[in-house]
Amino acid sequence: FEGSNPVLLQLVAKGLLTEYRHQFTGNKFFGIVKFLTKQAAVVLSEQNPLTTRNVDVSHLRDPEFHLSALRYREDALLVSAARRLKSRLDKKIDSFQAFNEVQDHLCTMAMAHIERKILESFQKAVEKAPNAEVKTVLRKLCALFALTRIEKDSGWFLESGLLEPVKSKAIRLEVLKLCAEIRPQARALVDAFNFTDKILSAPIALGEVPA
């Protein structure tokens, strides 16, 4: 049980809340200013009327757009989770009960943090690719990862005003385009993990279509 995903997500959430609390203790004023300045910069760039409905392929595949979207989601979920917890603690609700009441929010926040960290690491790895051909394929794969995360949580992004419906639809279509573009390299990408054919097992995974 201790190794199950919900428990691990709760541990991540507790760590993030502790970090958040420390950010506003001690030199509290400057910590708040730094945080709000960073958050406001993302809001201004992402909620610009032109940006929220920008459907240009160059923008939809822009690593900066991907990272800023996932960063904003993580920050916003962290702030709102902290507020929900504080409101319960202010009402003298037991801390264990308060934590349980917002558990779904905390697990969502933890996953947002994990996905942002994965994307950051992925983007850094792409830039270190050994040659231009590999970098091109990995850049598409990285964009596919980012856009599928945004598409999966499109409801939240729409409610937050970071996307308009036309852009949300464009992202869904771009995911399909990227899947088609990456498909020819799918076997090579899987082989990079050195899985045996026995592990892959299904003929379709080996590029074989049954008669």
Side-chain angles (χ1 to χ4, degrees):
F1 177 78
E2 270 65 20
S4 70
N5 284 344
V7 175
L8 293 174
L9 288 172
Q10 288 175 35
L11 289 173
V12 172
K14 287 179 180 178
L16 291 171
L17 288 168
T18 300
E19 211 173 284
Y20 179 76
R21 184 188 66 195
H22 289 165
Q23 186 175 2
F24 298 117
T25 56
N27 200 350
K28 185 176 179 180
F29 175 76
F30 290 104
I32 293 173
V33 170
K34 182 179 179 182
F35 179 83
L36 293 180
T37 300
K38 172 188 172 186
Q39 191 177 52
V42 177
V43 172
L44 287 173
S45 65
E46 291 306 316
Q47 290 189 327
N48 179 300
L50 295 177
T51 306
T52 58
R53 57 175 177 264
N54 189 344
V55 296
D56 290 344
V57 174
S58 59
H59 169 70
L60 295 179
R61 298 193 182 193
D62 184 358
E64 290 187 12
F65 159 60
H66 302 153
L67 193 54
S68 65
L70 296 198
R71 277 177 176 162
Y72 177 73
R73 181 184 60 168
E74 179 187 356
D75 286 346
L77 287 170
L78 176 57
V79 172
S80 56
R83 284 174 179 163
R84 287 185 66 191
L85 275 173
K86 186 178 184 302
S87 69
R88 283 161 174 74
L89 296 176
D90 288 345
K91 295 175 183 176
K92 308 302 180 185
I93 295 176
D94 176 74
S95 59
F96 180 78
Q97 182 183 341
F99 197 86
N100 281 338
E101 286 182 5
V102 298
Q103 186 175 160
D104 59 328
H105 192 148
L106 295 173
C107 286
T108 300
M109 176 190 74
M111 187 56 72
H113 170 75
I114 291 166
E115 290 178 350
R116 190 267 301 169
K117 293 288 285 185
I118 290 172
L119 180 60
E120 278 188 335
S121 297
F122 201 160
Q123 289 181 346
K124 289 176 183 177
V126 169
E127 295 309 309
K128 295 178 182 177
N131 58 62
E133 185 179 3
V134 172
K135 182 177 286 189
T136 297
V137 174
L138 291 181
R139 187 174 285 128
K140 289 181 180 181
L141 193 62
C142 188
L144 179 61
F145 168 74
L147 291 178
T148 54
R149 298 306 87 197
I150 295 172
E151 181 192 22
K152 176 183 69 71
D153 220 359
S154 59
W156 187 91
F157 285 105
L158 285 164
E159 290 172 7
S160 301
L162 268 72
L163 297 181
E164 288 192 9
V166 64
K167 187 170 182 177
S168 181
K169 181 180 179 180
I171 286 173
R172 185 170 69 252
L173 295 175
E174 200 61 34
V175 165
L176 295 176
K177 289 179 185 177
L178 281 166
C179 285
E181 290 176 25
I182 292 171
R183 182 185 174 280
Q185 287 83 36
R187 177 66 189 274
L189 290 167
V190 173
D191 284 346
F193 290 94
N194 201 27
F195 294 128
T196 64
D197 289 349
K198 184 177 181 180
I199 291 175
L200 292 174
S201 109
I204 195 171
L206 304 176
E208 300 169 10
V209 180

